[in-house]
Amino acid sequence: RYGSSSIRKVIPETGKIVQMKMLPPDLFGEGITSYQGKIIQLTWISRIILMYNKENFKVLRLSKLTLPVEGWGLTFDGKYLIMSDGTQYLYFLDPEDFSPAGRIEVKDGIQPVSKLNELEFIKGKILANVWQSSSICVIDPKSGSVMGWIDLKNLVPKEYRTHADNVLNGIAFNPSTGNIYVTGKKWPYLYELKINGL
């Protein structure tokens, strides 16, 4: 949200915040990813990209996205940043200058999958939240084909199941365990999951 967006370092077991940096009140923070000791963050409609020092959260660079799209989710595949904009498209960006490097359309069979939001790149696959749903789709980054679905409706806290905004909206990967973390907008919980096949 405007005026309340931040990046935070937390202890996963307790949720305790050990470090936090607020964004300027005119920026609506969206997806982040890690890249070479830095954190890169999208903003929603301003098309501003922020680059932070991963250790102290100092802003190293502020750039303007050249693509005329909104910023939603962001991940890094080892070569390119991958960005979503709430449509069925995913965009590949050069991580140094954020210039466009390609695009795929995500489809489940012949049906486009729109509202792609938060992203995470895990073992050669892209995981994407589908906005205002309790589902994560697993995507082939070369073809855009959906390889499978993860249904997390039973994790949604009961008090949020009828709220259009406070939905599943966060994925992170822990390479040391192979597990993923998921959470949602304004959720009071962070879940650690082991997903077979990932």
Side-chain angles (χ1 to χ4, degrees):
R1 298 293 183 196
Y2 291 109
S4 60
S5 292
S6 66
I7 61 169
R8 305 175 185 183
K9 186 182 292 184
V10 303
I11 299 171
E13 292 79 12
T14 64
K16 180 182 178 183
I17 299 169
V18 295
Q19 189 174 341
M20 182 170 77
K21 183 176 183 68
M22 297 298 297
L23 274 69
D26 61 335
L27 294 180
F28 188 123
E30 284 285 354
I32 65 171
T33 195
S34 179
Y35 169 69
Q36 294 187 354
K38 307 173 190 73
I39 296 170
I40 299 174
Q41 181 176 38
L42 296 174
T43 57
W44 180 36
I45 55 177
S46 62
R47 306 208 327 264
I48 298 293
I49 301 177
L50 298 155
M51 181 181 283
Y52 305 90
N53 178 293
K54 194 173 184 178
E55 297 306 315
N56 59 22
F57 293 171
K58 179 183 177 182
V59 176
L60 302 174
R61 199 164 93 206
L62 189 147
S63 304
K64 190 80 172 180
L65 182 66
T66 57
L67 288 170
V69 297
E70 296 178 358
W72 285 44
L74 191 68
T75 191
F76 180 61
D77 69 1
K79 184 177 181 181
Y80 295 112
L81 298 172
I82 306 171
M83 182 188 106
S84 66
D85 69 342
T87 67
Q88 71 267 33
Y89 295 103
L90 296 178
Y91 303 87
F92 294 81
L93 307 175
D94 184 293
E96 290 297 327
D97 63 8
F98 311 125
S99 61
R103 183 182 84 166
I104 56 172
E105 183 178 15
V106 176
K107 291 185 177 183
D108 188 359
I110 62 169
Q111 183 69 36
V113 180
S114 62
K115 297 187 178 181
L116 298 173
N117 193 12
E118 168 65 3
L119 305 175
E120 185 74 350
F121 190 80
I122 302 175
K123 297 180 182 177
K125 306 176 185 78
I126 303 168
L127 271 65
N129 280 135
V130 177
W131 174 240
Q132 294 183 322
S133 84
S134 55
S135 297
I136 293 173
C137 60
V138 181
I139 303 162
D140 181 332
K142 293 181 180 175
S143 67
S145 297
V146 173
M147 306 167 69
W149 290 89
I150 302 169
D151 181 358
L152 298 177
K153 65 177 174 288
N154 291 331
L155 290 188
V156 179
K158 288 182 181 179
E159 61 269 33
Y160 294 140
R161 289 183 184 176
T162 58
H163 196 291
D165 249 5
N166 296 341
V167 292
L168 184 73
N169 192 35
I171 315 168
F173 178 57
N174 184 342
S176 65
T177 63
N179 295 343
I180 66 170
Y181 296 106
V182 297
T183 188
K185 269 202 171 185
K186 300 184 182 177
W187 285 19
Y189 310 112
L190 174 72
Y191 296 94
E192 184 176 7
L193 307 176
K194 183 175 182 63
I195 306 292
N196 292 333
L198 282 183

